[in-house]
Amino acid sequence: MALMPVSDALAAVLAGVVPVAEEMVALDAAWHRVLARDVAARRTQPPQAMSAMDGYAVRATDAAKVGAELTVIGEVAAGRPFAGTVGASQAVRIFTGGVVPDGADAVVIQEDTVADGKCVTIKEAAIVGRHIRPAGVDFREGDVLLRQGARLTERDLSLAAGMNHPELAVRRRPRVAILATGDELVMPGSTPGAGQIVFSNGYALHALARAEGAETFDLGIAADTVAATTAGIRRARESGADILITTGGASVGDHDLVRPALQAEGFEMAFWKIAMRPGKPMMHGHLGAMRVIGLPGNPVSSYVCGFLFMVPLIRALAGRSRVHHRRERAVLGRDVGPNDVREDYLRARLEEREDGTLVAVPVNHQDSSLLANLAMAQALLVRAPFAPKAEAGTPCEVLRLPL
């Protein structure tokens, strides 16, 4: 099978995605969930004109001159409106958040007055509308302020509360099952035997998926047998996973059993092998309603492919309005050689010059097994297929890695 361009592979991964079902959740459980419907205000905020400061509510014409003396006829506090009307040469003591009483059209702040019993003297002229928050200045009933597909921030939750929504319709969390394969893998804390390595891929993949709002299921490590691999695949289906991620066993060796095990279960393969580095042997397809991404076993390849393909797929299933990673402009921090047929994703550190220019410095060694270099990188430097040699200072594109 010919190598598929990265853009075509991503389009295939996202093809036909339908967002998962919606559910209602309480507002305090909606943080970082994805809205399933637009949200409109159920009230006007503020519902009436309110004071923005402590002071006196007045008619601006009565307080237009310094030295004007007004009679104080009452008091307004937040939640305790004044029942009367402000008339000529009258004022009402008002506190922040208090409803501006009828007849008043300005507030003179406390610092600009001198109070003496039932009288107040104006030290700075009033201006119509000054220190008053008009009714609806924040939003009005019916205003659509939160849109379907938005991932809710803490600020969004505050807004939804202010709009008088105690709960919101959100997409349920996409379910991601992760299955590792390989006789050589042992868990962290173990003492590896001859030829064995400590398993690391799954920790990054679980974290990536959870950071995108997914629910993850750890299917453990399957031995290099068709039976063990098949059992893991079946557990993924039984768990109701929307996505099955496998790591390792996706290449062409005698012990790479993921593809035959999947095909024996009815797997419909969309592609296998991508024109990218690292991550060439990645595969994708469907097993019934479950989408499958078979990642390489090398930890850098596994992470890069998970970042580039699994993350957008989770976002699409969650109904996010934006699923693709945003590319940023930068300049090379050192020379890079010419590229071949594969699109390169070089691990790079990011630096920022005094003028704001972003500089991408590729790490010294790009081998797909080097976890230390992956951990120190802040971005992937994207190099197009057949890109010529480029010198330091040449414009380039980067994808920031999660912090």
Side-chain angles (χ1 to χ4, degrees), residues 6 29 45 82 128 148 161 167 186 205 212 229 315 339 382 395:
V6 173
Q45 175 68 16
F82 178 71
V128 173
Q148 174 184 339
E167 57 183 11
V186 297
L205 294 172
E212 294 298 327
T229 306
R315 291 174 179 175
N339 199 11
V382 185

Side-chain angles (χ1 to χ4, degrees), residues 369-385:
S369 68
L370 303 181
L371 282 170
N373 278 351
L374 176 63
M376 74 170 60
Q378 291 100 39
L380 298 176
L381 167 61
V382 185
R383 296 271 290 154

Side-chain angles (χ1 to χ4, degrees), residues 7 11 25 75 115 146 186 205 228 291 298 311 319 324 332 343 385 397:
S7 58
V25 300
E75 181 179 286
L146 295 171
V186 297
L205 294 172
R291 292 171 179 264
N298 275 323
V311 167
H324 295 283
L332 289 173
E343 188 162 280
E397 287 189 331

Side-chain angles (χ1 to χ4, degrees), residues 22 34 156 170 197 208 231 245 253 262 285 294 308 317 325 342 355:
E22 67 178 63
V34 178
D156 295 330
V170 299
I197 58 173
L208 268 178
I245 301 293
L262 283 167
L308 293 178
L317 284 168
H325 296 297
R342 290 194 275 171
D355 64 0

Side-chain angles (χ1 to χ4, degrees), residues 181 184-185 197 199-202 205 246-251 278-281 295-306 347 366-371 374:
T181 66
E184 75 278 14
L185 301 178
I197 58 173
F199 176 57
S200 61
N201 298 6
L205 294 172
T246 64
T247 68
S251 193
K280 172 185 171 183
L295 300 178
N298 275 323
V300 176
S301 302
S302 172
Y303 178 84
V304 170
C305 288
R347 282 148 283 162
Q366 294 289 332
D367 186 278
S368 61
S369 68
L370 303 181
L371 282 170
L374 176 63

Side-chain angles (χ1 to χ4, degrees), residues 309-331:
F309 296 96
M310 178 187 73
V311 167
L313 178 54
I314 291 171
R315 291 174 179 175
L317 284 168
R320 293 271 293 274
S321 53
R322 196 187 88 186
V323 302
H324 295 283
H325 296 297
R326 183 169 64 89
R327 294 193 178 196
E328 295 182 60
R329 300 290 293 173
V331 297

